[in-house]
Amino acid sequence: AQSVSQHNHHVILSEAASLELGCNYSYGGTVNLFWYVQYPGQHLQLLLKYFSGDPLVKGIKGFEAEFIKSKFSFNLRKPSVQWSDTAEYFCAVGPYYNTDKLIFGTGTRLQVFP
Amino acid sequence: EPEVTQTPSHQVTQMGQEVILRCVPISNHLYFYWYRQILGQKVEFLVSFYNNEISEKSEIFDDQFSVERPDGSNFTLKIRSTKLEDSAMYFCASSESTGYNEQFFGPGTRLTVL
C-alpha cells in the first residue's frame, strides 16, 4: 500500500537556523510530490510540488525540496527560518497516473523562536 | 484571492445523528475532494468528485457517507448515522482539473461526535 512517512513530528528551532524536514514515500511507480503548509488557524497551502524534470524544486517563501528517487525521499529545506515559518508541514504524494488522491504524511509541527 | 470555504467551522453532534458538512469550492474549479484528519493522525483521502459523479473513493467512504453538489456552488458531505470514530477535522478541496493541478484546501470543519 502507498504510504508517506514524516519522521520529524515536532521540530523546534531558533530564527536563522537551517531547516530540513524528512519525507519518505512508499510507492513502486512514478509519483507527483507535494509539500503543503498550514499556518495556525489557516488553510492548507501548497509550498511546492514536483512532477518531473529538475529534482531540486523551489517553492514559496524560500523553501526548496529535493527529490531523490533512489531513496524515495522528498525532503524540505530552508537555509534560514523565520518566526513566521511556525506552522505544520505536510508531505503528500499522488500517483503519477491519478492525482485525484493525495496521500499525506502525519505532518511535522515546526516552532521557530525569535 | 479566491478560496475554498467550509461551514460550519465546528459541529457537535450525538452518535447516530446525520450531519451535513458544506463546502464552497473555488468557482471555476471542476474537481472536488473531501479529506479527513483524526486528531494526531494523517490527513486521509475520502472521495473525489467530478462531473456530478464520484471519481474515486477510499475504503473509509462507506455507505454511511455521501457527497452531493446540490447547486452550482456548494459541495456537501453527508454522514448518515455518525459514530464516535467519525470525530475528525474534515477538509474540502478543489482543483481546476486533475493531473498537474494544485488542490486548494478549505479551513476544515471540526466534527465532534458525542
Side-chain angles (χ1 to χ4, degrees), chain A residues 4 36 43 96 98-100, chain B residues 42 56 98-100 102-103 105:
Chain A
V4 178
Y36 279 84
H43 306 189
Y96 181 76
N98 175 13
T99 51
D100 270 2
Chain B
K42 302 182 182 196
E56 183 163 356
T98 190
Y100 299 102
E102 173 186 351
Q103 292 185 20
F105 284 79

Side-chain angles (χ1 to χ4, degrees), chain B:
Chain B
E1 188 178 325
E3 57 184 27
V4 176
T5 59
Q6 291 185 243
T7 54
S9 56
H10 191 187
Q11 173 95 44
V12 180
T13 190
Q14 295 289 327
M15 193 168 56
Q17 296 296 303
E18 175 183 285
V19 293
I20 298 176
L21 309 183
R22 291 183 167 78
C23 168
V24 179
I26 294 173
S27 61
N28 63 332
H29 286 187
L30 301 176
Y31 290 79
F32 313 114
Y33 315 87
W34 284 101
Y35 292 81
R36 78 170 186 192
Q37 186 179 28
I38 295 171
L39 190 63
Q41 297 186 26
K42 302 182 182 196
V43 176
E44 301 171 290
F45 169 80
L46 291 178
V47 66
S48 58
F49 190 85
Y50 168 69
N51 201 25
N52 282 320
E53 285 185 344
I54 289 173
S55 48
E56 183 163 356
K57 60 183 181 179
S58 72
E59 60 275 8
I60 302 166
F61 194 88
D62 62 22
D63 292 344
Q64 291 301 309
F65 291 88
S66 62
V67 288
E68 196 179 28
R69 188 151 161 84
D71 51 42
S73 58
N74 289 283
F75 178 52
T76 61
L77 174 70
K78 183 194 288 186
I79 309 174
R80 283 186 238 293
S81 177
T82 49
K83 308 186 197 72
L84 295 175
E85 55 264 36
D86 293 327
S87 294
M89 182 73 92
Y90 289 80
F91 295 103
C92 174
S94 69
S95 64
E96 281 185 61
S97 67
T98 190
Y100 299 102
N101 281 277
E102 173 186 351
Q103 292 185 20
F104 290 79
F105 284 79
T109 292
R110 181 170 296 285
L111 176 65
T112 302
V113 182
L114 302 175

Side-chain angles (χ1 to χ4, degrees), chain A residues 77-96:
Chain A
R77 300 195 291 246
K78 186 171 184 179
S80 176
V81 294
Q82 300 171 312
W83 175 78
S84 58
D85 293 324
T86 294
E88 186 119 21
Y89 292 81
F90 296 91
C91 181
V93 168
Y96 181 76

Side-chain angles (χ1 to χ4, degrees), chain A residues 27-41:
Chain A
Y27 180 69
T30 304
V31 293
N32 298 314
L33 298 155
F34 308 81
W35 274 98
Y36 279 84
V37 61
Q38 188 173 31
Y39 298 103

Side-chain angles (χ1 to χ4, degrees), chain A residues 20-55:
Chain A
E20 181 159 2
L21 301 182
C23 173
N24 288 91
Y25 65 92
S26 163
Y27 180 69
T30 304
V31 293
N32 298 314
L33 298 155
F34 308 81
W35 274 98
Y36 279 84
V37 61
Q38 188 173 31
Y39 298 103
Q42 295 190 29
H43 306 189
L44 279 164
Q45 302 171 39
L46 185 69
L47 262 185
L48 46 79
K49 60 188 177 187
Y50 172 79
F51 290 131
S52 63
D54 188 344

